Amino acid sequence: MSLKDQTALRIVFYEGDGAQSLEAQDRFAAMSRLLEKGFAVTRVAGGGRVAPADRASLLVLGRFDGGRAPQAEDAHGQVHIRFQDISGFDSNRVAATVETVRAETNAAKHGDWKPWFPVIDYDRCTNCMQCLSFCLFGVYGVDEQQRIQVQNNDNCKTNCPACSRVCPEAAIMFPKYKAGPINGDVVSDADLQREKMKVDISALLGGDVYALLRERSEKAKSRFSKERDANKALTERQKCLVKLASAGDIPPEVLMSLPSPEEIARRAEEAMAKAQAALTKQTL
Amino acid sequence: MTPPRILYCNCTYAQVVPKEVKEAVLKRLCESGVAFDAVADLCEMSARQDASLKRLAEGGAVKIAACYPRAVKWLFHAAKAALPTEAAEILNMRVQSADEVCAALFNPELKPNLPAGKTTKPSAEELPKSEVAV
């Protein structure tokens, strides 16, 4: 199931009328456990506001008077509410109880996928389509207005920030990346110069990185068809991949998982065609 | 005047926010008497286009303890939930200390800091001498 199709379970710690307050350390322990398990948690207390309710399922936890959880329902029938008394529960038991309710309500199970995907800064993006023509994994696409967008973020290769390296405006972020500006830090002039250098990697490597792979593959084919030395072909490909890995900060496991040079060529042409089509429609 | 809401992001699925900072911030929130929302990971919610992001963005003035303001702004945008530019203050647990983040969170005054438009950080030469780190 796509990540976008799943519903979430919102956990509410209720400490108002009809319930006792939790000790601060118990509250912290329970909240930490639930957050580590991927849940969204709201603490309702006298001081301050929280975000309004939406149509998600709510699980209200509290140390209710008499150990009895109240019963209530949304008058509009839009929000599914459950109450659970947690008197005497430690953080493990709270987490286990919440997990049971999550499973019963078919809400999203979190943590199955590291959220690694490009985030576009549209203040900077010039819609040049370099990212679309670069990515071999179909992460990018365009909307009805031919505006670049991230369409298939779960196709993105974990820890690979290569597309952000080819963006001439440093408009592509990976918020979980180690360094700026890719992590979302403010872009500096120096960064832009560096990003330009990264784009020049394409020129340096002969048009674009995938073209380089194709070219090397062709050269290797003709040479190795004479020499019939598969090891040399592998060495040649590895040399090329090492150069790419260091130039684009692409994890070796991503490079080593790339398909055959022929498949790379096919995908690169497909991506290039998509980008070209979008650019053409923009000018019409 | 109603104080801004507080939203805390635990950045659960990566080790980019120092553990001691995020733990200290959450601990102090739990020790305080304030109501707040906490999410496991804004990135994951954005990837899932979680409808809750809309709820979190649209509830009025908000202070968010998370990471870089530019990243937070566009993470919400990616989930079709625009944060209000004039009513959102982002505290960056990747670079600020727990003390700095908590002081800002518990301060009723809101200091909006979402980037508006294309901004580029000035180079060291362009900064006044007092702002250049030695």
Side-chain angles (χ1 to χ4, degrees):
Chain A
M1 184 190 283
S2 161
L3 289 166
K4 293 173 189 170
D5 300 329
Q6 295 176 299
T7 57
L9 176 67
R10 182 183 182 189
I11 315 300
V12 177
F13 276 91
Y14 177 75
E15 299 178 63
D17 289 346
Q20 294 166 17
S21 279
L22 275 70
E23 298 298 328
Q25 68 266 25
D26 294 342
R27 190 183 299 124
F28 172 68
M31 275 208 160
S32 297
R33 280 302 302 264
L34 293 175
L35 291 170
E36 289 303 322
K37 285 187 166 290
F39 291 101
V41 189
T42 296
R43 182 198 175 195
V44 180
R49 296 177 304 124
V50 295
D54 55 17
R55 293 183 185 193
S57 293
L58 283 184
L59 173 60
V60 183
L61 306 176
R63 288 181 180 169
F64 297 106
D65 291 347
R68 280 194 304 275
Q71 295 203 330
E73 60 183 38
D74 175 24
H76 303 289
Q78 292 181 336
V79 184
H80 186 251
I81 311 173
R82 282 191 187 207
F83 290 84
Q84 171 69 50
D85 181 67
I86 54 166
S87 301
F89 282 25
D90 65 8
S91 61
N92 289 332
R93 196 163 162 206
V94 170
T97 302
V98 169
E99 176 53 31
T100 303
V101 175
R102 185 208 62 75
E104 283 171 10
T105 53
N106 281 324
K109 183 166 172 57
H110 306 274
D112 290 343
W113 172 71
K114 179 177 177 179
W116 181 270
F117 61 103
V119 178
I120 301 173
D121 175 345
Y122 286 100
D123 284 340
R124 304 197 69 87
C125 175
T126 59
N127 219 26
C128 70
M129 303 292 162
Q130 291 222 32
C131 50
L132 175 57
S133 62
F134 179 81
C135 179
L136 285 180
F137 303 104
V139 170
Y140 294 96
V142 290
D143 62 14
E144 298 82 18
Q145 285 81 43
Q146 306 306 311
R147 185 91 179 141
I148 190 76
Q149 64 177 9
V150 177
Q151 277 183 346
N152 299 300
N153 54 22
D154 33 2
N155 282 4
C156 194
K157 298 295 170 193
T158 302
N159 296 332
C160 175
C163 56
S164 66
R165 296 287 191 194
V166 302
C167 176
E169 292 294 332
I172 298 175
M173 295 173 281
F174 287 85
K176 299 215 184 294
Y177 188 66
K178 60 192 173 206
I182 295 174
N183 61 12
D185 196 358
V186 181
V187 180
S188 68
D189 283 335
D191 292 324
L192 288 175
Q193 292 310 313
R194 264 199 299 277
E195 295 313 311
K196 274 182 195 151
M197 283 175 64
K198 295 294 181 190
V199 175
D200 288 345
I201 291 165
S202 300
L204 180 80
L205 297 181
D208 70 62
V209 287
Y210 301 114
L212 175 81
L213 280 172
R214 277 203 303 277
E215 189 190 321
R216 294 231 171 184
S217 166
E218 290 307 314
K219 279 183 188 167
K221 261 189 210 162
S222 67
R223 193 166 63 245
F224 298 136
S225 61
K226 291 171 196 158
E227 297 176 2
R228 297 197 182 279
D229 187 339
N231 284 338
K232 277 191 180 173
L234 184 63
T235 310
E236 184 70 8
R237 189 169 182 220
Q238 278 170 340
K239 256 196 240 167
C240 169
L241 294 179
V242 166
K243 202 169 175 183
L244 281 176
S246 79
D249 199 11
I250 305 172
E253 59 272 22
V254 172
L255 288 174
M256 297 318 289
S257 70
L258 285 175
S260 66
E262 292 73 24
E263 177 62 10
I264 289 176
R266 192 191 65 73
R267 290 194 199 176
E269 274 158 24
E270 202 176 278
M272 200 83 81
K274 262 166 82 177
Q276 196 51 54
L279 286 169
T280 308
K281 281 186 188 164
Q282 271 179 48
T283 53
L284 291 177
Chain B
M1 195 183 73
T2 322
R5 288 176 296 122
I6 293 175
L7 170 61
Y8 164 90
C9 172
N10 196 54
C11 194
T12 295
Y13 302 117
Q15 281 82 47
V16 292
V17 172
K19 196 166 182 270
E20 63 277 12
V21 175
K22 63 179 188 180
E23 276 187 4
V25 171
L26 180 62
K27 200 164 188 204
R28 280 192 239 173
L29 280 169
C30 286
E31 286 164 355
S32 75
V34 301
F36 64 94
D37 288 293
V39 298
D41 199 301
L42 283 173
C43 289
E44 196 232 11
M45 295 175 81
S46 174
R48 215 176 48 227
Q49 299 211 345
D50 192 324
S52 318
L53 283 177
K54 222 171 183 130
R55 159 176 72 77
L56 293 164
E58 290 175 353
V62 62
K63 295 192 181 207
I64 303 176
C67 58
Y68 291 98
R70 190 166 73 100
V72 175
K73 172 179 174 174
W74 295 108
L75 277 169
F76 273 83
H77 178 274
K80 299 178 176 58
L83 279 171
T85 309
E86 296 307 316
E89 178 179 352
I90 315 298
L91 290 319
N92 185 348
M93 295 192 289
R94 283 183 80 156
V95 298
Q96 291 180 280
S97 69
D99 285 342
E100 288 169 332
V101 172
C102 289
L105 284 178
F106 296 131
N107 180 355
E109 187 193 349
L110 183 87
K111 296 176 181 167
N113 64 347
L114 280 184
K118 183 176 173 178
T119 50
T120 302
K121 190 162 56 182
S123 64
E125 294 80 48
E126 291 165 328
L127 282 172
K129 276 185 184 162
S130 58
E131 290 183 33
V132 179
V134 181

